[in-house]
Amino acid sequence: MTYSIFDFFTDPVFRAPTVGSMLMCLASSLIGVLVIIRKRSLLGEALSHASYPGVVIGLILISFYFPMQEEIIGIGILAGAFCTSLLALFVIHKMERKFRVKSDAALCFVLSVFFGVGILIASRVQTTHAMWYKQIQLFLYGQSATLMDIHVLTYGILCCLIIALFFLLYRSIEAVHFDVDFSKSIGIRVNFFENMIYCLLALAICIGIRSVGVVLMSGMLIAPGICARQFTHRLSVLLVLSGFIGLISGFFGNYFSVIIPEMMQVEGQKNFSLPTGPMILLFAAFLCAISFAIGLGTRYVRIVEHKWQCRLENALKSMWKNESIEASCALRFWLKWQGWVDEKYHLTPEGFIYASRIVRLHRLWEVYLVDYLGQKVEKVHRNAEEMEHIITPELEKELTLLLNNPRLDPHKQPIPEETL
């Protein structure tokens, strides 16, 4: 059977898992951006594992008192996971502030201890209440396919809460995450905002583990933000891109977990299935790999462009000094096409002005290195060769004012007048 994209939003079987996963990924990706900015990515890993004993304890307590009420059991599990996550946050905070334990050590300690406690209790439940243990395992590895409309409603409320907080408190959140001292100086309650973000992080993790599981939840927090970070330096754009990447990861994770088994099914053989949670994370990781490739590609292009620009400017500088040059046919063609040289490869007025500026920047930088940094005259040429290609007009004006518009460089050669 072939499914279209619209079937995942209209079909009663696929609608809740798809929409629920998308909302979960949107919420986690927005909170994950702030975790990445504060360089606390391991915190998501620690809290996701620390929520596991809360899942086990919450299931045991609620199932004991409300054995046949699935909605109440689900709420109890989330409440237990949230409580142990907050407890883990408290322990991490105390270890870092009171006992001077390094952040990475505290995170690893809390992760292993809390998760170990959860495994220990779950192993006991396995022998006494096998049905409860099966439900516990759903939260360990996730099972998006069993999400229901009540989960979609829960994820929707969380997303609305997070988005509303970002809209209402964006400037304060931005200030707290980029400059804590400035935030304190203008009266922002830094501790309040930090605690609010950490509580939202714990809440996003506790709700998300039903979809992708304790083991993979931290990856879903970080992957969209890492992917979006390759394309922007602005927090607002980063949040939008990260949220969008989270949404499409949630959708295509569900889509491919259904489509790939359908496409690879062999007639006469039992159809296999792909778990949705890992597929969501794998698709997000795939987008990260694409973003890395694009980032490396654009960086390589910029490097090639800069090297080419340096060759052009070095050729013009040599022609300005009446030195012989060995230029390739492509370089000569480009110089001529830009109007910097004439038919006989002599500098045009435009080319002379451009070359004069390159020489001026070179010699200004040599003066700066000698007069202000105290370097020896014979050692400044190479550094000036590199800097002459990247000095901006604004920096040129600052150097001119700082050096009082010098006429000679340290080698007693004249510095061309400013022409641009």
Side-chain angles (χ1 to χ4, degrees):
M1 181 178 179
T2 303
Y3 298 101
S4 67
I5 290 178
F6 297 103
D7 290 335
F8 285 81
F9 295 99
T10 57
D11 190 282
V13 176
F14 299 138
R15 183 185 64 245
T18 301
V19 177
S21 296
M22 292 176 67
L23 292 174
M24 180 276 299
C25 292
L26 172 61
S28 61
S29 61
L30 293 176
I31 296 298
V33 168
L34 302 182
V35 175
I36 294 173
I37 291 174
R38 296 299 295 269
K39 299 180 180 179
R40 299 299 302 271
S41 299
L42 275 177
L43 184 60
E45 181 78 13
L47 295 186
S48 63
H49 284 72
S51 66
Y52 188 60
V55 170
V56 180
I57 296 173
L59 177 63
I60 293 174
L61 293 178
I62 299 300
S63 297
F64 184 78
Y65 291 103
F66 305 95
M68 303 302 294
Q69 302 185 33
E70 291 291 334
E71 291 80 5
I72 298 179
I73 291 176
I75 294 174
I77 290 174
L78 294 179
F82 184 66
C83 289
T84 54
S85 296
L86 291 183
L87 178 61
L89 272 173
F90 176 78
V91 174
I92 292 171
H93 177 79
K94 290 300 181 181
M95 291 181 68
E96 292 177 353
R97 301 292 177 85
K98 298 294 183 181
F99 300 101
R100 306 298 180 185
V101 178
K102 294 294 184 181
S103 177
D104 56 344
L107 291 172
C108 291
F109 175 80
V110 169
L111 183 154
S112 57
V113 170
F114 275 71
F115 192 60
V117 171
I119 294 293
L120 183 65
I121 302 174
S123 64
R124 176 59 180 170
V125 175
Q126 183 180 11
T127 60
T128 58
H129 300 82
M131 185 177 296
W132 293 359
Y133 180 76
K134 186 177 180 180
Q135 286 187 288
I136 291 172
Q137 293 301 98
L138 295 181
F139 289 86
L140 188 59
Y141 300 106
Q143 195 172 29
S144 298
T146 60
L147 293 178
M148 296 181 294
D149 290 337
I150 185 64
H151 299 108
V152 175
L153 178 62
T154 304
Y155 294 166
I157 293 173
L158 174 64
C159 285
C160 292
L161 175 63
I162 292 175
I163 293 173
L165 287 175
F166 274 113
F167 268 110
L168 297 175
L169 305 173
Y170 174 76
R171 290 301 178 188
S172 299
I173 293 174
E174 184 181 33
V176 168
H177 282 76
F178 284 100
D179 196 331
V180 176
D181 293 333
F182 171 75
S183 302
K184 292 179 179 178
S185 67
I186 61 175
I188 295 178
R189 299 168 60 187
V190 174
N191 290 333
F192 168 77
F193 281 98
E194 288 184 342
N195 292 333
M196 179 189 70
I197 295 301
Y198 287 145
C199 288
L200 288 177
L201 171 63
L203 185 60
I205 289 173
C206 294
I207 294 179
I209 58 177
R210 180 63 177 79
S211 181
V212 297
V214 168
V215 177
L216 301 179
M217 187 60 209
S218 60
M220 205 57 242
L221 281 168
I222 304 303
I226 293 176
C227 181
R229 183 64 180 83
Q230 307 302 313
F231 302 103
T232 183
H233 298 285
R234 297 180 58 187
L235 178 60
S236 58
V237 180
L238 182 60
L239 289 169
V240 173
L241 285 179
S242 180
F244 176 73
I245 293 168
L247 280 174
I248 62 174
S249 297
F251 171 76
F252 282 105
N254 280 269
Y255 181 78
F256 287 124
S257 68
V258 175
I259 296 300
I260 292 178
E262 290 287 338
M263 294 174 58
M264 299 181 65
Q265 183 178 6
V266 179
E267 187 176 356
Q269 295 185 6
K270 186 178 179 180
N271 190 19
F272 70 98
S273 61
L274 291 175
T276 305
M279 285 300 299
I280 293 174
L281 183 57
L282 286 176
F283 187 83
F286 172 72
L287 294 181
C288 286
I290 293 177
S291 69
F292 294 156
I294 294 174
L296 290 175
T298 54
R299 186 178 302 176
Y300 177 77
V301 170
R302 289 198 300 268
I303 291 173
V304 172
E305 288 180 346
H306 178 68
K307 289 183 177 180
W308 177 254
Q309 190 69 21
C310 291
R311 290 181 61 189
L312 290 174
E313 293 178 351
N314 288 336
L316 290 173
K317 185 174 64 174
S318 297
M319 296 172 71
W320 188 89
K321 296 179 180 179
N322 294 321
E323 299 175 353
S324 60
I325 61 171
E326 295 182 2
S328 63
C329 294
L331 186 63
R332 291 178 180 272
F333 171 79
W334 191 262
L335 290 172
K336 185 177 177 181
W337 186 72
Q338 291 287 341
W340 295 331
V341 297
D342 55 21
E343 295 292 337
K344 297 181 179 180
Y345 293 100
H346 295 154
L347 288 175
T348 62
E350 294 81 5
F352 183 84
I353 292 174
Y354 192 1
S356 298
R357 181 175 183 272
I358 300 302
V359 175
R360 172 179 171 81
L361 296 178
H362 179 100
R363 294 177 178 176
L364 277 176
W365 192 255
E366 287 186 337
V367 175
Y368 173 74
L369 292 177
V370 173
D371 291 356
Y372 276 82
L373 299 186
Q375 296 188 17
K376 296 182 179 180
V377 175
E378 61 272 12
K379 293 185 177 181
V380 297
H381 177 74
R382 183 174 179 179
N383 185 272
E385 283 282 340
E386 298 173 352
M387 290 297 299
E388 66 188 27
H389 304 292
I390 61 175
I391 294 178
T392 61
E394 293 78 13
L395 183 55
E396 178 187 0
K397 291 181 180 180
E398 291 186 17
L399 284 173
T400 302
L401 293 175
L402 181 65
L403 302 173
N404 197 21
N405 195 16
R407 301 297 180 183
L408 298 176
D409 70 357
H411 304 283
K412 306 305 179 183
Q413 295 174 320
I415 298 176
E417 293 291 334
E418 185 176 2
T419 54
L420 293 179

